[in-house]
Every structure is written in C-alpha cells, then in structure tokens.
Amino acid sequence: MPKVIIWDLMLILFLFVAVPSIMIYFLGLPNGLISTLIYMQLLIVWIQVELSMRQQVLFRSQFIPILTLSASSTEVTVVGEDSRATRTVTITVRDLSDNPAFNVMLSRVLSDSYVPLEPRIRTSVLRCNIVDHLGSKEEKPLCITTFAKLVQLLKVAKLFEVSCFDKYGDSHFMAFMINVDEKAGDVAFMPIPYLDRLEKVGVLLPSFNRIMLYFKLFR
C-alpha cells in the first residue's frame, strides 16, 4: 500500500474514530455523546467548507487560458569570406481559449527528470520575451534561437515550462515536451498536463478521493 494512502487512512481513522472514542471514554456516555455529536457537526462544516472551495476552483477554471507552442524556422545566409547559412527558430505562443492570458513567459527549462536547469544555461541559448497580454486566439513570438543552439540545449533539456496569469490574477503553468527532427529541421511541442488543481484543495476530500480510488483499483 502506498505511503500516501496509509497517511490518508490514519488521518480519517484518527478524526472519525479515535477522537470520538477518546471523548466518549473520558467524558462518559451522556456528556461524551453530546460532545461527539458537536464534534461531528464541526467535521461536517469542515467538509462543506472544502466543497465550497472546490466549487470556487471549478468556477475559476472556466477562465484558465489554454496555451500552445509552435515553432517556425527561416534560413539566413550571412555573406562574407566565411559565408554560411544559419537557421533561425522562432517559438510562438498561442491562446486557444476564449480567455486572455497575462505575463506569459518561459519560466523554466527542465531536464528529463523534471530538474530545472540553471537560468544562465537557458539565457545563453534562448532570447525570450514576456508577453504582457495574449488575447483569445492570438499568437505572439515568445523566444528566438538558432536551430543548432536548440539542438545543443536539448541534449540536457527536454521540457519547456510556460507560465501565465488569468484575469483573476491566478498563476498557471504548462509544460511542453520538445521534439526535434535534425534531418528535416522541424521542431514540435507536445503539451504535458499537470495534476488537477482540485486535488490540491482541502485536506479531507482529497484523502477520501485517494482512498476510494485506491480501493477501486485494488478491487
């Protein structure tokens, strides 16, 4: 059994079994039973508060921007004694939703193991902007680099993390896996969803959900 499920079971048993039993044991049947009923009412209020918090998160989730990344490349030849062609890659961000996004930026570059790279490694390869406002269905350039530098970066990095704010001021993060075809010179981004925010709201309801899901899968 996973440790998180064990902790959830211990929490539920403590709150709903151990505490009422201790109250009845020390206070006796009449007083202990009344105290237990009041305590159970407080637990119900606690659950109602968490339900209200989740409803608020669900309501605000309607206004979360949906961002995608795409790349376009152009080949530029520098004329001189050492003439050579350089492929420039422009990474653009697009808002697919009907909700505006604010302060859109490349917040982190991550390795395969989701370890953030040092900012100096990223800034030496990518020249990125902060998009103050990205409207619905709008697309703007986010970063620019060369194809050769991007290939070198992808030897130690595999994920780009883009952050933004919605109109309520809540921050959101989206991760994108990068795939480069060196022969064709193509760059593709695949979004990787993060965990649902509902699982981060409250204490009791997430514990109940994890326990129920575990036993359903186990059965």
Side-chain angles (χ1 to χ4, degrees):
M1 183 179 293
K3 289 184 178 180
V4 64
I5 302 298
I6 295 175
W7 283 108
D8 290 335
L9 283 172
M10 291 176 60
L11 175 64
I12 299 302
L13 291 175
F14 175 77
L15 292 175
F16 288 89
V17 178
V19 174
S21 300
I22 293 172
M23 294 173 67
I24 293 176
Y25 177 79
F26 283 102
L27 298 178
L29 276 180
N31 296 331
L33 187 59
I34 294 173
S35 300
T36 300
L37 291 175
I38 296 174
Y39 172 74
M40 287 297 180
Q41 289 178 345
L42 292 176
L43 289 180
I44 293 173
V45 172
W46 183 354
I47 294 175
Q48 289 175 339
V49 170
E50 291 193 2
L51 284 172
S52 177
M53 292 169 61
R54 287 194 163 207
Q55 288 175 350
Q56 187 177 18
V57 171
L58 285 173
F59 173 76
R60 291 197 174 189
S61 65
Q62 303 175 70
F63 307 100
I64 297 177
I66 302 174
L67 304 181
T68 60
L69 294 181
S70 61
S72 60
S73 60
T74 55
E75 194 167 293
V76 179
T77 302
V78 179
V79 180
E81 296 182 0
D82 227 7
S83 297
R84 63 172 180 235
T86 301
R87 185 181 293 274
T88 301
V89 177
T90 301
I91 301 172
T92 57
V93 58
R94 180 179 176 84
D95 186 1
L96 298 180
S97 69
D98 296 326
N99 309 304
F102 303 92
N103 290 341
V104 183
M105 70 179 73
L106 180 67
S107 53
R108 295 190 300 177
V109 176
L110 310 173
S111 65
D112 280 336
S113 55
Y114 292 88
V115 177
L117 301 182
E118 294 183 14
R120 62 179 179 82
I121 299 177
R122 177 188 68 196
T123 55
S124 64
V125 175
L126 301 167
R127 288 183 295 167
C128 297
N129 305 315
I130 297 178
V131 180
D132 295 333
H133 176 266
L134 190 64
S136 173
K137 308 301 187 296
E138 190 176 9
E139 186 176 17
K140 291 183 179 181
L142 183 65
C143 298
I144 188 171
T145 184
T146 63
F147 188 80
K149 287 184 178 180
L150 185 60
V151 170
Q152 290 296 321
L153 177 64
L154 295 186
K155 291 181 179 180
V156 293
K158 294 298 180 184
L159 298 172
F160 281 7
E161 183 186 72
V162 178
S163 64
C164 69
F165 291 90
D166 61 21
K167 67 179 185 179
Y168 286 104
D170 294 332
S171 60
H172 304 281
F173 299 88
M174 287 138 277
F176 297 87
M177 181 177 290
I178 316 159
N179 185 26
V180 173
D181 187 345
E182 295 189 36
K183 292 183 179 180
D186 295 331
V187 181
F189 294 93
M190 183 179 69
I192 300 177
Y194 281 154
L195 294 175
D196 192 351
R197 283 196 166 201
L198 284 177
E199 286 304 312
K200 301 179 182 179
V201 177
V203 177
L204 287 181
L205 291 181
S207 297
F208 279 125
N209 289 340
R210 284 191 293 265
I211 292 172
M212 291 175 61
L213 180 62
Y214 174 78
F215 282 108
K216 283 183 179 178
L217 293 174
F218 182 77
R219 187 172 56 182

